[in-house]
Amino acid sequence: MIKVTRLNGMEYYLNPHQIESLEVRPDTTFQMLSGKIIVVKETVTEVIDRIVEYRRRIGGFKNEE
Amino acid sequence: MNISTLIGVAGCFGMVLLGIISGGTSVMTFWDLPSILIVVLGSYFGLFTFSSIADTVGIFNTIGLTFKATNFNEKALIQQLMNMSEKARREGLLALEEMLDDLDDEFIKKGLRLVVDGTDAEIVRNLMETELGQMQERHVSKIKVVNMWGTLAPGLGMLGTVIGLIGMLKNLEDKSSLGPNMAVALITTLYGSMVANLLMIPWSGKLQIMDATESKVKEMAIEGVLSIQAGDNPRILGMKLLTYLNPLDRKAVEAEVLKD
């Protein structure tokens, strides 16, 4: 799970495997596979760094199915 | 001032009076205080049985609304929502916060406040739709009372006529008074039908149309707020909201709103 911050300052953890796309409009906006839209305070680069960091931590590519 | 209601009520009574006068009867023939008591007040008190005291006393405010000019100014609403949408796309959702104080529409304000707080779209929609639903229910309960008055009045008119006829039949010996008494007896039926057809039924129809219009504007607001949250392009938002207007208005607003 990666940590993000909602616009109202709430911490929020989301599952990066469920992200469909990221948009800058100009807030960083996640479009999730479920159709849910989540807007966060972090910049896109921060988010991507966290995803990479998370993937590094869990290692195995077997989770990529 | 809502001119159409005024024309309607004045025109209805005017035509009835004109018909009476041109028929050669004096208008005073149709004036009878006891009948007014039975029909107008009698059916009004029936409303206390039907509904709550607050709604029954408040019926005059409800009826008064039909004489007020209602302009929800959809054009300004579309323009306002598009401006917000542009700002949100330029500077982010949080930038909307400073615009909230300039809004006079409580409904949109509430919705956008939720959006700025980062509430889920599902929850925002839910809250706004619940509020819209509650508004409609309040309107329906008030319209019901007006409808009821229109239903009770002719019934009370019948009742008054029966009362008059009974009084007349008691004194059948006096043949000369038969005609006049019969006439007075029928006045209540006339009043009952007047209260229903000239006033209550048209008023309740007007109120229903007003409710529909207000609901539509609120739906536009919900659509707009959610569109801003989803980060839609302002033009798309404008087009979305324009579909709520009828084709004639749409043309006029379109030229203004989507000019760039």
Side-chain angles (χ1 to χ4, degrees):
Chain A
M1 304 299 268
I2 61 165
K3 189 183 116 178
V4 288
T5 321
R6 283 231 157 149
L7 288 185
N8 57 357
M10 259 181 58
E11 265 185 27
Y12 192 78
Y13 292 84
L14 59 84
N15 177 356
H17 299 293
Q18 292 289 318
I19 301 170
E20 186 173 320
S21 62
L22 270 172
E23 267 181 67
V24 186
R25 44 182 177 185
D27 304 297
T28 308
T29 309
F30 290 91
Q31 174 82 45
M32 306 302 280
L33 289 174
S34 63
K36 225 174 161 179
I37 288 174
I38 296 168
V39 185
V40 299
K41 278 184 174 167
E42 281 83 358
T43 62
V44 173
T45 34
E46 275 175 343
V47 170
I48 290 174
D49 287 349
R50 280 180 202 178
I51 295 175
V52 171
E53 175 57 35
Y54 159 82
R55 299 231 161 177
R56 198 171 286 140
R57 252 180 79 187
I58 59 171
F61 293 102
K62 292 194 291 295
N63 304 332
E64 293 304 318
E65 272 92 56
Chain B
M1 196 72 212
N2 198 325
I3 301 293
S4 86
T5 313
L6 211 60
I7 292 175
V9 173
C12 268
F13 279 98
M15 286 302 128
V16 170
L17 283 176
L18 207 64
I20 289 171
I21 292 165
S22 62
T25 336
S26 118
V27 176
M28 282 320 286
T29 313
F30 295 90
W31 170 256
D32 188 49
L33 188 64
S35 307
I36 296 256
L37 290 181
I38 291 175
V39 174
V40 180
L41 291 181
S43 53
Y44 179 66
F45 282 110
L47 297 180
F48 282 98
T49 318
F50 172 73
S51 173
S52 65
I53 290 184
D55 271 356
T56 309
V57 175
I59 193 174
F60 300 106
N61 290 337
T62 313
I63 289 167
L65 286 178
T66 61
F67 287 97
K68 270 212 192 87
T70 43
N71 183 10
F72 294 106
N73 207 346
E74 287 102 328
K75 193 172 89 186
L77 177 81
I78 295 177
Q79 194 69 66
Q80 202 170 39
L81 285 165
M82 278 178 73
N83 290 344
M84 298 216 150
S85 159
E86 261 165 44
K87 194 175 173 81
R89 282 183 59 106
R90 231 184 11 251
E91 304 165 36
L93 283 175
L94 286 177
L96 290 177
E97 196 143 23
E98 64 221 34
M99 283 180 95
L100 285 185
D101 300 333
D102 311 337
L103 274 180
D104 39 11
D105 188 323
E106 277 305 316
F107 188 64
I108 299 182
K109 216 187 233 179
K110 201 183 267 181
L112 285 173
R113 164 107 17 234
L114 288 168
V115 168
V116 170
D117 287 347
T119 317
D120 250 9
E122 210 41 53
I123 296 173
V124 176
R125 176 185 285 279
N126 229 319
L127 276 167
M128 290 182 92
E129 278 179 352
T130 308
E131 182 153 343
L132 166 66
Q134 289 306 315
M135 179 198 85
Q136 284 169 328
E137 262 176 47
R138 275 198 306 277
H139 288 178
V140 164
S141 77
K142 285 189 161 52
I143 292 170
K144 261 190 186 156
V145 183
V146 178
N147 268 335
M148 200 53 186
W149 201 348
T151 313
L152 288 175
L156 268 282
M158 240 357 268
L159 197 143
T161 299
V162 172
I163 291 171
L165 288 178
I166 291 172
M168 188 188 85
L169 293 171
K170 280 263 189 222
N171 305 318
L172 268 183
E173 279 69 38
D174 185 6
K175 294 220 175 15
S176 62
S177 68
L178 273 192
N181 280 338
M182 183 103 181
V184 169
L186 285 173
I187 285 184
T188 52
T189 299
L190 170 78
Y191 284 170
S193 154
M194 271 179 147
V195 169
N197 294 302
L198 302 190
L199 298 174
M200 296 306 158
I201 294 173
W203 273 336
S204 106
K206 174 78 116 201
L207 287 166
Q208 277 167 18
I209 290 172
M210 281 162 72
D211 168 54
T213 316
E214 194 168 349
S215 301
K216 191 184 76 178
V217 172
K218 287 248 191 300
E219 272 167 27
M220 280 166 81
I222 295 176
E223 212 47 69
V225 167
L226 290 172
S227 206
I228 288 172
Q229 181 173 31
D232 280 352
N233 177 328
R235 280 188 75 81
I236 301 281
L237 165 66
M239 284 176 183
K240 213 188 247 183
L241 294 183
L242 279 172
T243 53
Y244 282 89
L245 305 180
N246 67 40
L248 275 179
D249 294 343
R250 205 183 295 179
K251 277 253 179 312
V253 179
E254 203 162 10
E256 203 151 322
V257 175
L258 300 175
K259 55 185 175 293
D260 29 26

